[in-house]
Amino acid sequence: MALSSVCGYKPPTSSLASNFSDFNEETCGNFSANSTLALPPFAHPATNLGRVLTDDQGKDIAMNFDHGTTTLGFKFKGGVLLAVDSRATGGMYIGSGSVRKIIEINQFLLGTMAGGAADCTYWERVLSKQCRLYELRNRERISVAAASKLLSNMAYNYKGMGLSMGVMVAGYDKRGPGLYYVDSDGERTSGDVFSVGSGSIFAYGVLDAGYRYDLTDEEAYDLGRRSIYHATHRDAASGGIVRVYHMKPTGFEIISEQDCKELHYMYADEKKK
């Protein structure tokens, strides 16, 4: 009941409000079943969500959710490296330049964000809760494969309902480093190298040229940074802070957080030498 008090929801006490009660159960059902996600009160939310708002002339107002990103991850001999930018765009508008696109699920699991910022943040927080419950029930950490499967199953339940997610789940367990791609259709793929987002084609160009499994830690950090930088340079929907995380057997470590503008001048100076 704490959630309903925070949101200002008060159940009707009079029989005169029975219609109001039915309306709340239909549109705000997650107050009574808070483990489910309440759906919009109209049919086909994936296609009709943008038709809810109208201007004073009755014309539809386009709803531009925060999109646009570049994220990458790869496995190497030192573990798993993740690198991301920090820009979120809604249409042609830069909504934020400081989004944290690596979500810390727990000390041994990380998730990235590409697609709808709200969708990725919400469902990876739900995944964090489920992973903690698994630890409490089984007295051991959940594997990277199982965590990615949980997220895939949750996304599949809402397939076709308008979710926008393209995330990576990276971690370290008793099997070693793990890296999985999961999207909003419930697709789940294991791999060694992934890049997701509008700038991924530019990041792949740098990754393909410099990736090998036996990279040292410093070489891996530099490859991740350069890949994201080149994506921010060519893709208008990517930019801001370039963040690099390293997933090790002892847990994740934050390696660097540098502005892409600083990297631009640093790499420009290197070319002059």
Side-chain angles (χ1 to χ4, degrees), residues 87-246:
R87 177 175 292 180
T89 55
M92 297 302 294
Y93 174 72
I94 298 176
S96 175
S98 57
V99 178
R100 302 192 71 88
K101 296 182 183 178
I102 296 181
I103 298 171
E104 300 166 2
I105 299 171
N106 60 37
Q107 184 63 28
F108 295 89
L109 277 175
L110 294 172
T112 64
M113 176 194 303
D119 292 340
C120 296
T121 302
Y122 177 83
W123 287 112
E124 290 187 34
R125 285 177 178 175
V126 173
L127 176 62
S128 178
K129 180 199 73 172
Q130 295 292 348
C131 292
R132 179 58 179 152
L133 288 174
Y134 179 95
E135 290 183 22
L136 293 172
R137 288 169 180 155
N138 298 278
R139 299 183 182 181
E140 65 175 357
R141 292 199 316 269
I142 191 170
S143 66
V144 185
S148 63
K149 187 62 175 177
L150 280 175
L151 183 61
S152 172
N153 289 342
M154 289 186 287
Y156 185 80
N157 288 332
Y158 294 93
K159 183 178 181 179
M161 296 186 185
L163 292 183
S164 175
M165 292 168 52
V167 307
M168 288 177 284
V169 178
Y172 215 105
D173 55 30
K174 55 189 175 184
R175 297 179 180 177
L179 180 64
Y180 289 81
Y181 167 79
V182 179
D183 68 14
S184 47
D185 288 334
E187 180 183 344
R188 170 178 169 269
T189 307
S190 174
D192 293 330
V193 181
F194 287 116
S195 184
V196 188
S198 57
S200 61
I201 54 174
F202 307 110
Y204 267 129
V206 180
L207 275 174
D208 290 342
Y211 174 76
R212 65 182 193 277
Y213 186 79
D214 61 345
L215 290 169
T216 65
D217 288 355
E218 290 301 323
E219 288 173 336
Y221 304 157
D222 183 63
L223 178 61
R225 268 191 296 267
R226 285 181 183 270
S227 300
I228 296 296
Y229 157 72
H230 281 284
T232 63
H233 186 62
R234 296 293 181 184
D235 176 38
S238 301
I241 307 299
V242 178
R243 294 189 170 93
V244 179
Y245 280 56
H246 184 187

